[in-house]
Amino acid sequence: MQWTLVIPLKPLTRAKSRLADTADDGVRPALALAFAQDTVAAAVACPAVSDVAVVTDDELAGRELAALGARIVPDTPGSGLNAALAHGAAVVREIRPGTPVAALNADLPALRPAELSRVLTAAAEFPRAFLADAAEVGTTLLAAAGDRALRPLFGVDSRMRHRASGAAELTLAGVDSVRQDVDTGQDLRAALALGVGPYTAAVSAALAVGARPAPGGPRPAAACGPGGRRPKPLR
């Protein structure tokens, strides 16, 4: 099964305010962009993913993520995370009716394509499914089969809310990179310990925390899938 991922990204100047104890106002936008770049690069390289749609109104992020192979969808609702995800899923399905869709956080800088593929393969067994974050409180991925609405319920206690909505919780081992989102300095240190992509490694080098590249060396700046494949553009 080939998935379309919908990744929401708020304007960079408003992103990652909880990292104030680790990165100042001049660094946080660059760090938020780096997280998104490493997330999108890994998603593009995932063999289970055919398309990546990023919902954002940030012009810089749009340009940089489009260069990695993502389709940029303007955040027309402008009403927060869940509205952006529902809008992105609707746009995707207008173009490709019946495509399976998964919402993915934009702050997964240690994301590994192979681990993402494992999660999506497991999600394909259910009408709707989700993966809890490393803290086991939030959600990093919510998937819906082609004949089901995404029904995103991200935010406070989203793990419990997605479970209560009837989505199956995926309990896979060995997919830490898909679960490790970054909201706080502690989260960033955990992601760095897993091994982050080249964009986050470069920005984090200026901080008081060390960055360890992902195993196998840094991913190329314009990451592609196996054999240089990019996702097929949505038309």
Side-chain angles (χ1 to χ4, degrees), residues 16-215:
K16 298 302 164 190
S17 60
R18 292 170 62 190
L19 279 170
D21 62 341
T22 303
D24 62 29
D25 292 348
V27 176
R28 283 199 306 277
L31 204 53
L33 176 58
F35 295 165
Q37 287 172 301
D38 284 324
T39 300
V40 168
V44 165
C46 178
V49 174
S50 61
D51 303 292
V52 176
V54 176
V55 183
T56 188
D57 280 337
D58 192 286
E59 292 185 5
L60 172 61
R63 289 195 303 271
E64 295 297 325
L65 299 177
L68 293 175
R71 174 185 179 86
I72 307 304
V73 177
D75 185 5
T76 304
S79 301
L81 176 59
N82 291 312
L85 285 169
H87 171 63
V91 169
V92 163
R93 284 182 169 164
E94 284 179 6
I95 299 167
R96 291 186 175 170
T99 188
V101 172
L104 183 71
N105 287 8
D107 57 354
L108 299 168
L111 186 63
R112 309 279 195 273
E115 293 183 13
L116 176 59
S117 186
R118 286 187 59 213
V119 173
L120 292 171
T121 297
E125 300 296 319
F126 303 95
R128 287 173 68 245
F130 73 96
L131 185 73
D133 63 9
E136 299 186 343
V137 175
T139 303
T140 57
L141 181 143
L142 172 68
D147 61 346
R148 299 300 176 103
L150 187 60
R151 295 172 57 202
L153 296 167
F154 287 83
V156 178
D157 296 326
S158 66
R159 179 189 184 190
M160 295 300 297
R161 293 199 288 166
H162 283 132
R163 183 188 291 169
S165 76
E169 181 170 2
L170 303 174
T171 56
L172 300 173
V175 293
D176 293 347
S177 77
V178 195
R179 301 183 66 204
Q180 188 58 67
D181 55 353
V182 177
D183 289 316
T184 67
Q186 181 177 351
D187 294 336
L188 178 56
R189 286 186 285 274
L192 293 172
L194 286 174
V196 296
Y199 298 99
T200 302
V203 178
S204 297
L207 304 176
V209 289
R212 180 168 65 86

